[in-house]
């Protein structure tokens, strides 16, 4: 599963990424998890299964759905 977290600068979610990677490993799940700035969403969304937004960019939910839904990405 490919999971991307999007926040204001792509760095504030790094702790969450590590926790998610640990949880996936503990459950024996294969997951590719990374964080990016929201401004990179259109560039990196190809091949993603799930896109998550950090609370500081929650106001971008509508735009995220516009980017994700045509590609079949759950947001």
């Amino acid at each position: 599963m490919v999971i991307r977290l999007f926040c204001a600068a792509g760095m504030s979610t790094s702790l969450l990424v590590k926790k998610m990677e640990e949880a996936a490993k503990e459950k024996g799940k294969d997951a590719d998890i990374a964080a990016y700035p929201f401004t990179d969403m259109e560039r990196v969304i190809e091949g993603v299964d799930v896109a998550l937004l950090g609370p500081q960019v929650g106001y971008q939910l509508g735009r995220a759905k516009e980017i994700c839904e045509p590609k079949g990405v759950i947001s």
Side-chain angles (χ1 to χ4, degrees):
M1 177 169 287
V2 178
I3 302 170
R4 296 294 179 256
L5 290 86
F6 296 93
C7 63
M11 292 195 241
S12 62
T13 53
S14 62
L15 181 59
L16 181 56
V17 168
K18 289 183 192 282
K19 294 282 188 185
M20 290 174 67
E21 288 173 335
E22 291 170 7
K25 187 174 182 177
E26 286 174 11
K27 294 180 187 248
K29 303 291 182 183
D30 184 29
D32 174 4
I33 306 168
Y36 291 91
F38 182 79
T39 54
D40 288 351
M41 181 180 266
E42 286 185 89
R43 184 179 62 82
V44 301
I45 203 67
E46 198 66 42
V48 172
D49 297 304
V50 177
L52 303 172
L53 296 182
Q56 69 274 39
V57 294
Y59 68 94
Q60 293 278 20
L61 181 59
R63 178 68 183 128
K65 287 180 181 266
E66 290 174 3
I67 295 168
C68 294
E69 287 177 359
K71 303 214 179 264
V73 177
I74 298 169
S75 60

